[in-house]
Amino acid sequence: MVESVHLLVSTESPTSDLAACAHIAEVAAKLTSEWLGSPARVEEHDGCPVVRWGPQHPEILLLGHLDTVWPVGTLSRLPSQLIDDQLTGPGVFDMKAGIVQALAAVSLLIDKGANVGAVGILLTSDEETGSRASRKVIASALTSATAVLVFEPSAGGALKTERKGTSWYRIKFHGRAAHAGLDPERGVNATVEAAAFVMATQSWGNQDAGTTVTPTLLNSGTTANTVPFLAELTLDVRAWSAGEQQRVDSCVRTWQGTHPEARIEIDGGIDRPPLELSASADLFAIAQQVAQQLGLSELRSCAVGGASDGNLTAAAGIPTLDGLGAVGDGAHADHEWASFSAMAERAALTAGIILAALNGEIND
């Protein structure tokens, strides 16, 4: 396992670098073939490479991503290594160790003589930037699926049974330029319009429901003595329910500006629906039973604010269990690490879940 993790981590793969992603896809396909004894394949979807093993439309889909947030060259200061129990390096926790765990789980089943003909693996390369190119191939892979296991990292060892849905908005406020000293009244101030919108958003969140509405990036103006004719704002929305996402979406789209001549242009909207508890409850119950049978520590679950491709599969109505990847810490951070000793345990846990799912132990 250590050698496989080292190979993947040492093959740097930032989402924005298509050549690097194509290279790691080839590396991962070869590694998958070696682990599982039958060929994996590299496909391209909307310009983005993906790795697939098993049927195109599996009953049990193992889902992960090969891309990371780390630029090429990060290895020079964050090398891939094993120190005591900690595997380190860019992307080791999110989520290259998890990919190796998935391969090890299927390998365990093959070694035991289990029929894994209905099991498929899909590894994408654009998850960190929203899975724009890979959404279609993910949706296609779900045609016959009865369960999806997602190998995003755990949260302190806990599996992720709920994820917030995400909405992203890029909003342009169009005004009219004028000289700020000579005749500002002839202008339409886009900055003022953006500020009014930002203030309105502060009443759109719902603390009790866990809904957050956060203005993030804001750019406006051209020179210090010109009434701004354009302002651009990015809005981040997170919610536990689809209903809350839709409520905030309505707030965004029905907002009225303060100046009758100002114009608002909205790009974006609801992105990933929530992964709700109902989508993961049965699979988590199976995972708890498997953990008990294996003599592992009691399995915990948690709800997290970040989204993953598991949000997409759950929204498609497929039972989905997330967070089956590495035990460790530091996603997207310099101190990122994954526990080596936990990898074999999580591989065995995953193998047991797959076997139970193949035996039809999931409630429809």
Side-chain angles (χ1 to χ4, degrees), residues 5-309:
V5 173
H6 176 72
L7 176 62
L8 292 180
V9 174
S10 297
T11 309
E12 295 178 288
S13 52
T15 316
S16 59
D17 190 329
L18 288 178
C21 287
H23 179 49
I24 198 171
E26 295 293 342
V27 169
K30 185 174 184 294
L31 185 66
T32 300
S33 302
E34 292 171 352
W35 267 93
L36 305 183
S38 58
R41 55 201 181 275
V42 177
E43 301 174 357
E44 186 176 296
H45 293 268
D46 289 337
C48 220
V50 304
V51 176
R52 306 190 76 170
W53 179 88
Q56 294 286 96
H57 308 289
E59 290 180 24
I60 314 300
L61 177 64
L62 279 55
L63 183 59
H65 66 87
L66 294 162
D67 59 313
T68 76
V69 299
W70 299 99
V72 170
T74 303
L75 275 169
S76 62
R77 65 181 184 85
L78 300 175
S80 173
Q81 53 191 342
L82 175 61
I83 301 175
D84 297 325
D85 185 46
Q86 294 190 355
L87 291 156
T88 65
V92 66
F93 181 58
D94 185 12
M95 58 169 287
K96 293 180 176 181
I99 291 171
V100 175
Q101 290 173 199
L103 298 180
V106 180
S107 179
L108 281 172
L109 293 174
I110 293 172
D111 290 345
K112 292 178 179 179
N115 182 356
V116 295
V119 178
I121 296 173
L122 173 59
L123 306 176
T124 67
S125 61
D126 67 337
E127 191 275 344
E128 293 291 3
T129 55
S131 306
R132 298 297 177 193
S134 59
R135 290 191 183 206
K136 288 182 181 178
V137 69
I138 292 172
S140 175
L142 299 177
T143 304
S144 302
T146 59
V148 177
L149 306 180
V150 184
F151 290 85
E152 291 287 349
S154 66
L159 304 190
K160 297 169 180 176
T161 52
E162 294 178 82
R163 284 184 179 273
K164 282 187 177 183
T166 57
S167 305
W168 299 92
Y169 300 89
R170 291 159 295 281
I171 304 165
K172 292 183 179 180
F173 301 86
H174 297 273
R176 183 171 60 245
H179 195 289
L182 296 177
D183 49 5
E185 68 281 354
R186 297 178 64 183
V188 177
N189 197 316
T191 299
V192 171
E193 292 300 305
F197 180 89
V198 167
M199 293 308 297
T201 67
Q202 300 309 288
S203 66
W204 298 347
N206 184 327
Q207 187 172 5
D208 292 339
T211 303
T212 58
V213 181
T214 309
T216 54
L217 303 176
L218 175 61
N219 296 291
S220 69
T222 53
T223 66
N225 61 349
T226 302
V227 173
F229 69 91
L230 177 67
E232 297 178 285
L233 173 73
T234 300
L235 189 69
D236 176 304
V237 178
R238 312 271 171 150
W240 291 118
S241 72
E244 275 293 283
Q245 282 186 297
Q246 292 160 3
R247 179 186 64 78
V248 176
D249 186 73
S250 177
C251 291
V252 171
R253 298 186 188 282
T254 59
W255 180 80
Q256 297 294 315
T258 63
H259 195 291
E261 295 182 61
R263 181 170 61 87
I264 185 172
E265 179 183 351
I266 301 171
D267 181 34
I270 295 173
D271 182 37
R272 286 183 169 114
L275 192 169
E276 300 191 37
L277 184 60
S278 58
S280 59
D282 288 342
L283 279 170
F284 182 68
I286 289 172
Q288 287 180 304
Q289 294 170 8
V290 172
Q292 187 176 31
Q293 292 165 2
L294 292 172
L296 304 179
S297 300
E298 183 178 356
L299 205 57
R300 296 177 293 108
S301 67
C302 68
V304 295
S308 81
D309 287 337

